[in-house]
Amino acid sequence: MWTGRLRGVGVLRSLTEIFKRESVIFQKSVYCFVHLSIQEFLAAVYMFHRYTRKDTAVINQFLKYSKPITSLDDFLRRTLRKSLKSENGHLDLFVRFLHGLSLESNQRILGGLLDQRDSHPETIQKVLNNLKKVNSDKISPDRSINIFHCLMEMKDQSVHQEIQEFLKSEKKSKRRLSVIHCSALAYLLQMSEEVLDELDLLQYNTSVEGRRRLIPAVRNCRKFVLADSFLSTSHWEVVASAMMSNPSHLRELSLSRNKSLTNAGIKLLSSAMMHPNCRLETLRLSHGSLSEIRCGSLASALRSNPSHLRVLELSYISLEDSGMKLLCSGLESLNCQLETLRLSDCWLSEISCDSLASALRSNPSHLRELDLSWNQLKDPGVKLLCGALQDPLCELETLSLWDCSLSKTSCDSVASALKSNLSHLRVLDLSFNTLQDSGVKRLCSGLESPNCKLERLRLSGCSLSEISCGSLASALRSNPSHLRELDLSQNQLQDSGVELLCGFLHFPNCRLETLR
């Protein structure tokens, strides 16, 4: 039995049993490795021994490289490159040991087992420089962290010390981080006992590759912001693994403006959301691309049991009606707990309103906020939505319909919903629709209803004049008026219109707190 520590090769830590003795058929003793790190260590010793003996046949067979090895730094550089191409990291530990064995101090520990060779300070410095300059642009960030470990094996503490100083600094955004600094930072953030509240990669002053190397730190944060990045499948695998880890700390994931979020990436994330360990509550995918396949994957995640997702943002994505129909199949599930759905500028028409109205009537519907701004819903679409608002199962509180090509006709549908004693609506945004004065007059019939509980009404840019101010002032004198916020900006109200509104402000039932 061989116990203890091997100084200078920091991967081994107090192993209690290295070899296990067994008896075989011929009653001879054989020894098997109980800890795989010993196998990796002996493999590194063997390969370094072959290098010192200039056994090019063995080395070339391993590296699958025809050009001859010229020096120790060349040998280590090629070996590291081979390990980084590995998808499962099976050579990571071996490469760390190999770098540790290049130091003369570690060679002396092994006695006569290794021939000392090429361990001059100049050669070692070349090896260190090569490690710090490795380009791992297309490599999994988990593999890149191994470069930092190789530096530690070679007793280079400079990067570690610089990162410690960076973490203590009050001006982190001004400090430029190299890619090797980012690997070290990702490792330290993962190992920290304190869970990071937010990790926003754009806040770090580094290159695109540097930000990619920071991705593994997602495993130890509550909110992860990864915007404007071009990532490979291996990067999404790291994010998905963080969602499924035990325990999983991740609660909010913001992946806006990621054009590289392919079908495979969405499928990975959706599968992770269905994992029992996942506790993700907020997912933002705005300014991206969602095909029908991806919508189907998200719908499956919403149907999972249990689904912890509460906020889903898909704004500025060409979702279209076909994608919306698939997504609504997930919203109608009993397992879906979604409370906020944002779908601004998703190329939706009134057809999508039919799917959404059905989802809002589902049993039970947990949706409280729905944003459909900048979609061509038109009056027939809003009529369908307002019909759902009067359903006893619908508990929607916030509805945003900014610039949805609505006319005064939609105001009749909204007024009917506000008059319903079943309506839970508290916030309504109809800004930048051509409602005109006649439309607001129709809307006010709903505001006057004792059943109306509306607290925020936004009518910015609705082609209104002072006539609308008279209608609103009259409606808001109703007993009681719950309105706390009124936005009438970008309308031609003129002085006479404002005078009518100010008359209402003196009224005892007025509870208005914000007037735009």
Side-chain angles (χ1 to χ4, degrees):
M1 217 166 42
W2 177 16
T3 60
R5 302 186 184 186
L6 181 65
R7 291 181 299 154
V9 186
V11 181
L12 296 179
R13 288 293 182 268
S14 301
L15 301 178
T16 56
E17 188 180 54
I18 302 303
F19 298 110
K20 183 178 179 181
R21 181 174 176 174
E22 292 181 349
S23 182
V24 291
I25 263 181
F26 300 106
Q27 298 182 348
K28 291 184 179 179
S29 295
V30 295
Y31 295 87
C32 63
F33 302 115
V34 176
H35 202 289
L36 288 178
S37 60
I38 300 304
Q39 180 175 332
E40 302 294 328
F41 172 70
L42 293 178
V45 170
Y46 171 75
M47 191 57 67
F48 198 86
H49 177 66
R50 292 293 92 195
Y51 166 73
T52 59
R53 293 298 178 92
K54 297 183 179 181
D55 190 340
T56 55
V58 171
I59 293 174
N60 289 341
Q61 184 182 4
F62 169 68
L63 295 176
K64 291 181 171 58
Y65 207 77
S66 57
K67 294 182 180 179
I69 300 293
T70 58
S71 60
L72 177 63
D73 56 289
D74 183 38
F75 171 56
L76 293 175
R77 180 174 55 82
R78 294 189 196 183
T79 309
L80 177 67
R81 188 184 301 168
K82 181 178 176 67
S83 74
L84 291 175
K85 290 179 181 178
S86 165
E87 293 183 2
N88 58 13
H90 72 286
L91 292 175
D92 285 0
L93 203 56
F94 161 76
V95 168
R96 291 186 211 174
F97 281 131
L98 199 60
H99 279 76
L101 291 172
S102 67
L103 296 183
E104 186 180 348
S105 56
N106 287 333
Q107 293 169 13
R108 284 200 300 268
I109 294 174
L110 295 173
L113 189 60
L114 286 177
D115 295 329
Q116 297 183 29
R117 182 181 176 86
D118 287 352
S119 297
H120 303 298
E122 298 82 4
T123 304
I124 296 302
Q125 191 58 51
K126 282 184 181 180
V127 175
L128 296 175
N129 292 340
N130 288 340
L131 286 170
K132 294 175 183 180
K133 293 176 182 178
V134 171
N135 185 350
S136 59
D137 190 30
K138 297 181 181 179
I139 295 167
S140 167
D142 280 334
R143 301 282 71 73
S144 300
I145 286 180
N146 201 46
I147 301 170
F148 169 66
H149 287 301
C150 289
L151 283 173
M152 298 296 286
E153 289 297 323
M154 296 188 71
K155 300 181 181 179
D156 186 311
Q157 300 287 334
S158 60
V159 174
H160 183 268
Q161 290 169 357
E162 287 166 3
I163 288 302
Q164 293 287 5
E165 292 172 7
F166 169 80
L167 291 172
K168 295 175 184 177
S169 172
E170 296 180 357
K171 299 179 179 179
K172 295 183 178 65
S173 59
K174 295 182 179 180
R175 176 82 178 267
R176 179 74 178 178
L177 295 177
S178 66
V179 288
I180 189 62
H181 282 132
C182 292
S183 291
L185 180 58
Y187 175 75
L188 291 177
L189 290 176
Q190 282 188 90
M191 295 298 105
S192 174
E193 294 181 0
E194 184 179 350
V195 180
L196 203 63
D197 284 331
E198 179 177 350
L199 179 61
D200 185 348
L201 299 192
L202 288 179
Q203 292 182 354
Y204 293 90
N205 184 7
T206 185
S207 62
V208 173
E209 186 188 347
R211 292 192 181 97
R212 288 172 183 156
R213 289 203 186 185
L214 285 167
I215 291 175
V218 66
R219 295 187 176 98
N220 198 32
C221 71
R222 296 184 180 90
K223 178 181 178 180
F224 185 57
V225 182
L226 180 60
D228 291 320
S229 295
F230 290 90
L231 308 179
S232 65
T233 302
S234 63
H235 295 99
W236 296 122
E237 287 172 350
V238 174
V239 177
S241 72
M243 296 164 65
M244 297 183 290
S245 61
N246 187 17
S248 176
H249 304 290
L250 201 61
R251 298 294 179 269
E252 181 172 342
L253 186 56
S254 182
L255 303 173
S256 302
R257 296 183 178 87
N258 275 288
K259 295 181 180 179
S260 59
L261 190 53
T262 59
N263 292 345
I266 285 289
K267 192 172 182 179
L268 278 168
L269 296 179
S270 299
S271 297
M273 281 192 283
M274 292 185 268
H275 195 276
N277 289 339
C278 181
R279 296 292 182 273
L280 195 71
E281 298 173 359
T282 300
L283 177 61
R284 306 185 195 278
L285 298 171
S286 59
H287 294 89
S289 175
L290 279 182
S291 63
E292 287 189 29
I293 296 173
R294 300 173 198 180
C295 290
S297 297
L298 283 174
S300 297
L302 293 174
R303 288 192 293 265
S304 66
N305 186 18
S307 172
H308 294 271
L309 205 66
R310 298 293 182 270
V311 179
L312 178 60
E313 184 167 340
L314 301 174
S315 299
Y316 308 103
I317 289 175
S318 55
L319 199 60
E320 301 184 346
D321 298 322
S322 55
M324 191 69 249
K325 188 175 182 179
L326 284 170
L327 195 64
C328 285
S329 67
L331 293 174
E332 293 173 352
S333 170
L334 293 174
N335 294 323
C336 178
Q337 307 291 315
L338 203 68
E339 297 175 359
T340 299
L341 179 60
R342 299 193 179 107
L343 300 168
S344 295
D345 197 10
C346 285
W347 294 41
L348 308 180
S349 73
E350 62 262 33
I351 297 172
S352 289
C353 293
D354 191 18
S355 302
L356 281 165
S358 176
L360 289 170
R361 293 189 184 99
S362 63
N363 186 19
S365 173
H366 296 272
L367 211 61
R368 300 294 181 269
E369 179 181 341
L370 179 60
D371 185 355
L372 294 169
S373 301
W374 291 304
N375 288 293
Q376 297 295 311
L377 307 183
K378 300 181 180 179
D379 298 325
V382 170
K383 187 176 182 179
L384 288 167
L385 287 174
C386 288
L389 292 177
Q390 300 173 59
D391 191 279
L393 295 176
C394 176
E395 298 187 2
L396 197 70
E397 298 174 357
T398 299
L399 179 60
S400 299
L401 298 170
W402 177 301
D403 195 7
C404 287
S405 300
L406 310 182
S407 71
K408 57 188 177 184
T409 306
S410 288
C411 293
D412 287 327
S413 303
V414 175
S416 296
L418 293 175
K419 291 175 186 176
S420 171
N421 64 345
L422 298 172
S423 175
H424 294 266
L425 208 61
R426 298 293 183 271
V427 181
L428 177 62
D429 193 341
L430 296 171
S431 298
F432 294 96
N433 290 290
T434 52
L435 306 183
Q436 303 181 325
D437 297 323
S438 56
V440 169
K441 187 174 182 179
R442 299 178 186 186
L443 187 65
C444 286
S445 67
L447 295 174
E448 292 172 345
S449 170
N451 291 326
C452 178
K453 302 294 190 295
L454 205 65
E455 297 177 0
R456 292 181 175 85
L457 177 59
R458 295 164 188 152
L459 299 169
S460 180
C462 288
S463 303
L464 310 182
S465 72
E466 66 269 24
I467 297 173
S468 290
C469 294
S471 302
L472 284 165
S474 175
L476 296 176
R477 289 191 188 98
S478 61
N479 186 19
S481 173
H482 297 275
L483 211 65
R484 299 291 182 270
E485 177 186 334
L486 178 59
D487 185 356
L488 296 170
S489 56
Q490 300 192 55
N491 288 293
Q492 297 297 317
L493 307 183
Q494 303 183 40
D495 296 329
S496 54
V498 174
E499 187 175 352
L500 287 168
L501 286 174
C502 289
F504 157 67
L505 294 176
H506 293 291
F507 202 74
N509 288 333
C510 176
R511 298 291 183 270
L512 205 65
E513 298 171 357
T514 302
L515 177 62
R516 294 190 176 93

